[in-house]
Amino acid sequence: MLIKRPDDIPSSEITPESMYLNRRTFVGAAGALALGSVLAPNLLSARATSDGQDDKLTSEEDATSYNNYYEFGTDKEEPKVLAASFKPKPWTIEIAGLVKTPKKMAFEDLFRALPVQDKVYRHRCVEAWSMVIPWQGTPLKDVIARCEPLPSAKFVEFTTLYDPRRMPGQAAPVLPWPYKEALRMDEAMHPLALLATGMYGKPLPNQNGAPVKLVVPWKYGFKGIKAIVKMRFTDKMPNTTWNDANPSEYGFYANVNPQVDHPRWTQSKERRIGQFLKIPTLMFNGYAEQVASLYAGMDLRKNY
Amino acid sequence: MTRADVTHGTIFDRLEPHVRRWERWALWLLVVLPLVSLIARAVMSDLGANPIERLERETGEWTLRLLAASLAVSPVIAITRWGWLIRERRFLGLATFFYASLHLSVYIGLDQFFDVDDIVKDVLKHLYITVGMAAFLMLLPLAITSTKGWIKRLGGQRWNRLHRLVYPAAVAGCVHFLWAVKKDITEPLLYAAVFVVLFALRLVPQRSRGRR
């Protein structure tokens, strides 16, 4: 399996060793450290890396049992249980909107003969936790090529399955179902954008969005729409679910940006699942070199 | 033999001697078991993918539950006439403060790892943290003045007035929870509903139920 190395961290992002060492020690510090070393066996190794960045793969156990997938419950441990009996096949994906030929395609037909690639990406949730996940999937641009969008298409909108009988969480209006997400066409055509059909060398588990989910590693995880049934090409910026649910907190672009806080929590640091100490969040989740040019001249504080 | 035995033959009178034997044990279990469970799961690495978040969540939930339990004591006494139960109000109040302190310690020591800068920024910028800190600061004087010595020092009237802080503390705790969750406010609303009922039971003046 080809493991792609994540990009080098610029020296400006390196957390000075003194920052870690210069802590006020309270009476409970020893207890906290003891508890911490119990909670995360690699506590000591996390402190040993001087730049605070440790792009070790997240354990498959953690990645498949800690999921924001409200279609199967709002507790992060619920989707693994509630999605256990979900059947992701047979699956149909509708290609609609500004395309040469709108059609409905069987999942197998849409992905037929498209090479499956291994991509190890950092995944950054808007809630300030993150993982490193070995995905298997097809670059979104290859699938879009197969959809034959018209030149007038400026955005591509994705929709999740809507079926409360199969997705029990949809029985409650906690979000305006069905889940929708969208990308600008240049974002969608970027080589980093992936339609994932597997992870850890296995087919995508139900709780991770089987049979196919979107992975856009430079954006917050809620852009990674799961269980996609429709791709619609349009010239108007589509509404996206979290932006509809809470416009002041979740934007369309949702680029990972340590300088722009979420109204209720900070975005300058994140908890890497499996590690004890928080690590600094990187601009565009560390993919700035590849994607910053997409947003040249844009005010990313306004376009959050 | 209580006064109630002489004057009433209610179900509560019949239950009383049995309850009285076991209730202190039961309350200790209520207070200790959640902590034992958390420690056991921590040691066995069974706190899920984000152990610190789980610790924060559960210590916070138990703070609210024990707070509700301590606020339920007086209404229970009003119904059952078990006057001796009043001592458990302090027991449950201190248990509440214990879990509140655990919750705060997890936040300061594990979540933020004693980063004073980050903590100050969090308290000043993020309202749900501000409100959470306020709730703790309101519980602090209640814990400190929980002793008989302090009741004497302040005098019954002033002590009672100080301990009315428990109401805004409960409100702040509920709002902290409500604002902390991302979208699904079912649980925070449930807790708020319980506190509304408890407030009503305690603040609506008792009419012919005897002295408070």
Side-chain angles (χ1 to χ4, degrees), chain B residues 144-203:
Chain B
I144 294 173
T145 61
S146 58
T147 61
K148 287 206 193 81
W150 269 102
I151 301 177
K152 262 219 234 87
R153 200 170 302 149
L154 291 175
Q157 236 194 20
R158 280 202 304 183
W159 189 93
N160 267 319
R161 262 189 274 149
L162 172 67
H163 277 253
R164 283 197 227 138
L165 264 182
V166 72
Y167 295 110
V171 171
C174 285
V175 170
H176 170 67
F177 191 9
L178 185 71
W179 285 348
V181 305
K182 193 165 164 201
K183 194 77 180 71
D184 188 357
I185 55 173
T186 325
E187 254 195 84
L189 284 183
L190 237 67
Y191 280 83
V194 168
F195 280 104
V196 164
V197 170
L198 288 171
F199 281 22
L201 287 174
R202 295 175 111 246
L203 296 173

Side-chain angles (χ1 to χ4, degrees), chain A residues 189-211:
Chain A
M189 296 303 288
H190 193 282
L192 280 180
L194 188 74
L195 279 180
T197 50
M199 61 198 296
Y200 296 91
K202 304 179 188 154
L204 209 55
N206 288 345
Q207 63 268 30
N208 291 88

Side-chain angles (χ1 to χ4, degrees), chain A residues 23 26 32 35 38-39 62 66 68 70 74 76-77 127 174 242 245 250 261 263-266 269 271 273 276-278, chain B residues 42-43 45 47 49-55 109-116 118 125-126 128 179-184:
Chain A
R23 299 267 184 255
F26 290 74
L35 193 55
V38 158
L39 293 173
D62 283 346
Y66 192 73
N68 272 328
Y70 289 11
T74 56
K76 296 200 210 4
E77 285 82 18
E127 298 169 358
V174 58
W242 274 104
Y250 310 102
D261 274 0
R264 284 187 292 143
W265 53 77
T266 184
K269 291 192 182 165
R271 169 104 43 221
I273 298 298
F276 175 60
L277 290 177
K278 287 194 194 167
Chain B
V43 164
S45 294
L47 285 173
N50 197 339
I52 295 176
E53 181 187 71
R54 179 134 300 270
L55 283 175
L110 294 181
D111 192 346
Q112 299 286 37
F113 199 64
F114 305 107
D115 190 325
V116 178
D118 279 352
K125 283 183 73 180
H126 302 126
Y128 84 101
W179 285 348
V181 305
K182 193 165 164 201
K183 194 77 180 71
D184 188 357

Side-chain angles (χ1 to χ4, degrees), chain A residues 75-266:
Chain A
D75 266 352
K76 296 200 210 4
E77 285 82 18
E78 280 188 285
K80 181 174 183 175
V81 175
L82 294 180
S85 56
F86 179 74
K87 306 243 177 307
K89 306 267 169 75
W91 194 262
T92 310
I93 297 180
E94 184 184 345
I95 314 296
L98 300 172
V99 292
K100 197 148 148 227
T101 325
K103 55 197 162 186
K104 285 203 168 108
M105 291 186 77
F107 171 85
E108 294 76 13
D109 294 334
L110 181 59
F111 287 90
R112 189 179 303 286
L114 289 176
V116 174
Q117 298 179 8
D118 287 286
K119 303 268 200 187
V120 180
Y121 286 153
R122 286 182 292 277
H123 172 95
R124 172 58 157 83
C125 179
V126 73
E127 298 169 358
W129 54 267
S130 61
M131 295 184 175
V132 179
I133 305 201
W135 302 101
Q136 284 80 52
T138 305
L140 177 58
K141 61 180 174 57
D142 295 344
V143 177
I144 286 180
R146 194 161 270 188
C147 298
E148 297 180 293
L150 302 175
S152 50
K154 300 276 178 294
F155 301 92
V156 53
E157 175 199 68
F158 303 85
T159 308
T160 299
L161 174 73
Y162 177 64
D163 188 347
R165 290 165 309 164
R166 293 167 70 189
M167 296 181 146
Q170 289 178 330
V174 58
L175 287 175
W177 307 118
Y179 198 91
K180 284 191 202 288
E181 260 302 337
L183 295 171
R184 226 168 48 185
M185 276 307 283
D186 58 343
E187 297 176 318
M189 296 303 288
H190 193 282
L192 280 180
L194 188 74
L195 279 180
T197 50
M199 61 198 296
Y200 296 91
K202 304 179 188 154
L204 209 55
N206 288 345
Q207 63 268 30
N208 291 88
V212 57
K213 84 171 290 247
L214 179 64
V215 179
V216 196
W218 71 94
K219 294 178 183 285
Y220 292 118
F222 66 85
K223 296 291 291 182
I225 180 171
K226 305 181 181 73
I228 299 168
V229 290
K230 184 171 174 182
M231 291 172 57
R232 182 178 72 94
F233 295 83
T234 172
D235 55 356
K236 282 185 287 292
M237 183 182 278
N239 285 12
T240 57
T241 296
W242 274 104
N243 181 245
D244 279 346
N246 220 322
S248 64
E249 297 189 359
Y250 310 102
F252 175 87
Y253 286 99
N255 291 321
V256 176
N257 189 339
Q259 292 157 18
V260 177
D261 274 0
H262 181 278
R264 284 187 292 143
W265 53 77
T266 184

